[in-house]
Amino acid sequence: MVVEAQQRKDRFEVLIETFIRKQLRLKAHTVTKVEEREEEMIVHIDRLGQRLLRCGVCCHRCREVHSVRKEREWRDLAMRKLPLKLRYRPRRVECPRCGIRVEDFPWAEPWARVTTALSNAVAKLADGLSWQGTARQYGLNWKSVATIVQRAVKFGLQNRPRPPVHVIGIDEVSRRKGQVYLTVVYDLERRVLLWVGEDRTEEAVRKFFTEEMGRRRCHTLQVVCMDMWAAYANLVRDHAPQAQILFDRFHIVKHLNEAVDAVRLELWRQLTAKERATFKGTRWLLLKNPWNLNGDQKDRLSTLVRLNSPMVRAWYLKEAFQLFWNYKQPWRAEQYLRKWMNAAMRSKLEPFKKFVRMLRTHLDGVLAWTKTRVSNGAVEGMNNKIKSISHRSFGFRSAKYFIVAIYHCCARLPLPPER
Ligand SMILES: [Zn+2]
């Protein structure tokens, strides 16, 4: 009986050893023993006979083993509920190209303390979940997850495809209520993040053109989409003079809405208490499209119209501006915009005058819309994604990890292959 049970146990162990060896796709190594403990399973690995090992730096096959180092341990994906750990004494090989180096491990990246299978699983989960949540899921700590994601991003940035880029959008995102600014650059055709950098100054963003793009890739740029207030226009002229600068629709509309708001605020300051009661909660009425209003809302809007003609002028100006986006012929679009700007200048609304002055100094890049029709809808979506990354993670004390997380979630980076 005892012998039989022992035999069954042996058989089980052989099976699980074979299973793990196959799962890890070991060729020059083998699993010698699987030790089942209460809290974990330990997989002992050894070199298989005299099979050739590879150099950890260049992956070249090496004939000579120089020495055997002390045992190291790697965390792997759990076996059901038991954490799996691999144990192995790494060999140092004599590489004809690199000299004496630690061998290449088929199950992990050279300095990683977890297997590639585990780090890829962690990285995939961290794409949609906070790093804290991911750590809990895999029984790791926050720092381990941060290191794993950081390594995955580093690998991804070195190995991602770099097809020619034609249309990019540059924008900024802020953290901690505008104390920290980051600049993000998107490929608007592929809808993918190209670059994130700390700060929003010209010098900071220059790195995108010199380091990420380089001179050759800058040549293929056709349209660069940005906000009128941004300081990047000179950069585009320096590094990609052939590209058309386009002041994007989203930001122009944002400035327009801000002008409407400024008019409303100024008016509010001048009103009496009784008049204020009528106005309460009307801001959204003005921002809504007129055809979406119901009867009561229309009544309130008409009271509003009676009480304040400046507000109405602002509202009509804002509505009239929107027609600009529909023009197909550049000269007609320009004619319309010039008419609109003249009307706005006569409106006696200071915020609108300010807006017009901004348009006038950037006119070429505003009119470029009609020719390019580039929409930065992708930018908006991505910026929202970045906001949600910022909200779900409290661990980002430094901009460094925040930048890592943004690359990880928005740049569609490749993960290391699981061999
Ligand atoms: Zn080598």
Side-chain angles (χ1 to χ4, degrees):
M1 282 300 277
V2 177
V3 175
E4 222 172 81
Q6 185 60 45
Q7 274 174 350
R8 250 203 320 266
K9 194 161 179 270
D10 287 351
R11 200 173 138 67
F12 161 76
E13 279 177 3
V14 169
L15 280 176
I16 199 160
E17 281 149 17
T18 315
F19 171 74
I20 292 173
R21 178 172 54 79
K22 283 185 176 166
Q23 282 288 306
L24 292 172
R25 296 200 196 111
L26 301 181
K27 291 194 184 79
H29 303 83
T30 189
V31 176
T32 56
K33 194 171 72 173
V34 177
E35 206 181 317
E36 193 186 336
R37 297 185 183 176
E38 211 162 293
E39 302 275 290
E40 59 196 14
M41 272 172 103
I42 311 282
V43 178
H44 296 270
I45 293 176
D46 204 353
R47 188 180 170 197
L48 181 59
Q50 294 299 307
R51 298 265 177 110
L52 295 186
L53 302 174
R54 288 173 186 273
C55 163
V57 179
C58 67
C59 277
H60 191 273
R61 281 167 189 266
C62 303
R63 215 160 277 284
E64 300 296 324
V65 170
H66 174 266
S67 55
V68 183
R69 308 211 69 190
K70 68 175 195 306
E71 194 172 62
R72 267 181 67 184
E73 198 174 84
W74 293 262
R75 280 271 315 248
D76 193 12
L77 284 164
M79 193 71 130
R80 290 182 65 82
K81 281 180 183 164
L82 287 181
L84 206 62
K85 285 176 179 166
L86 312 185
R87 280 196 186 162
Y88 175 64
R89 300 188 65 184
R91 284 14 181 206
R92 296 222 295 165
V93 292
E94 288 176 21
C95 174
R97 298 183 204 169
C98 318
I100 295 167
R101 299 285 158 168
V102 174
E103 64 173 306
D104 170 62
F105 311 112
W107 56 84
E109 295 295 306
W111 298 107
R113 292 167 65 186
V114 297
T115 61
T116 310
L118 176 59
S119 74
N120 283 0
V122 167
K124 275 176 202 156
L125 190 64
D127 190 358
L129 197 65
S130 71
W131 292 2
Q132 291 94 327
T134 308
R136 224 174 294 129
Q137 193 73 26
Y138 280 100
L140 300 164
N141 56 35
W142 186 89
K143 184 75 196 169
S144 307
V145 174
T147 311
I148 287 171
V149 177
Q150 199 177 5
R151 274 172 201 272
V153 166
K154 195 176 167 208
F155 175 90
L157 287 176
Q158 278 164 0
N159 293 280
R160 73 166 154 181
R162 286 189 157 74
V165 182
H166 306 114
V167 184
I168 59 170
I170 309 180
D171 201 5
E172 59 185 43
V173 286
S174 70
R175 281 181 66 219
R176 293 201 206 134
K177 291 174 190 143
Q179 285 176 42
V180 183
Y181 282 95
L182 300 179
T183 304
V184 284
V185 183
Y186 303 105
D187 179 334
L188 293 181
E189 282 179 325
R190 285 163 58 231
R191 293 179 169 247
V192 67
L193 176 91
L194 291 175
W195 187 81
V196 199
E198 247 178 286
D199 221 338
R200 50 175 175 175
T201 61
E202 199 176 309
E203 267 331 287
V205 184
R206 192 179 294 279
K207 281 192 196 137
F208 164 73
F209 290 97
T210 55
E211 287 170 19
E212 167 62 32
M213 293 293 277
R215 188 176 293 184
R216 222 188 59 219
R217 296 180 78 221
C218 278
H219 279 318
T220 61
L221 283 177
Q222 290 162 1
V223 181
V224 181
C225 219
M226 65 176 85
D227 185 5
M228 283 188 284
W229 276 0
Y232 320 128
N234 286 334
L235 287 174
V236 178
R237 280 173 213 126
D238 286 357
H239 296 280
Q242 80 288 354
Q244 169 71 58
I245 293 174
L246 170 68
F247 297 110
D248 69 72
R249 182 173 172 169
F250 170 70
H251 279 108
I252 292 176
V253 172
K254 205 175 114 200
H255 291 307
L256 193 60
N257 283 333
E258 278 165 8
V260 175
D261 265 358
V263 171
R264 192 188 63 87
L265 268 174
E266 180 52 39
L267 207 68
W268 187 251
R269 228 170 288 147
Q270 297 165 0
L271 287 180
T272 65
K274 196 185 162 214
E275 284 166 331
R276 279 185 189 194
T278 330
F279 271 90
K280 250 207 153 94
T282 49
R283 179 180 173 273
W284 57 275
L285 275 178
L286 297 165
L287 295 175
K288 232 174 154 175
N289 285 320
W291 52 87
N292 285 337
L293 298 172
N294 66 28
D296 176 48
Q297 291 164 348
K298 276 178 189 155
D299 282 349
R300 287 177 71 184
L301 190 61
S302 61
T303 316
L304 200 64
V305 167
R306 258 187 293 114
L307 275 174
N308 61 82
S309 82
M311 199 55 239
V312 172
R313 290 204 303 280
W315 187 65
Y316 277 120
L317 277 173
K318 184 204 132 206
E319 286 302 308
F321 188 87
Q322 304 293 356
L323 295 176
F324 165 72
W325 308 115
N326 302 337
Y327 281 94
K328 299 220 161 49
Q329 283 168 295
W331 70 272
R332 277 187 188 276
E334 182 172 353
Q335 196 182 40
Y336 182 79
L337 189 64
R338 285 189 188 281
K339 264 191 205 159
W340 185 90
M341 289 193 296
N342 289 338
M345 285 311 270
R346 287 192 308 265
S347 69
K348 294 184 194 130
L349 301 170
E350 199 41 51
F352 275 83
K353 289 185 182 173
K354 207 172 116 199
F355 177 67
V356 170
R357 282 193 285 271
M358 187 156 70
L359 287 179
R360 282 211 171 123
T361 47
H362 297 86
L363 204 57
D364 178 61
V366 176
L367 292 169
W369 158 261
T370 322
K371 282 177 282 171
T372 57
R373 294 260 156 191
V374 169
S375 152
N376 55 341
V379 170
E380 226 181 312
M382 298 262 223
N383 281 357
N384 286 337
K385 201 168 176 185
I386 291 174
K387 248 179 241 160
S388 82
I389 297 168
S390 165
H391 287 162
R392 79 182 179 213
S393 301
F394 311 106
F396 301 140
R397 292 214 180 77
S398 68
K400 183 182 87 176
Y401 281 127
F402 189 42
I403 290 176
V404 166
I406 293 173
Y407 270 126
H408 186 55
C409 295
C410 304
R412 274 192 261 141
L413 299 174
L415 288 171
E418 290 165 38
R419 285 173 280 183

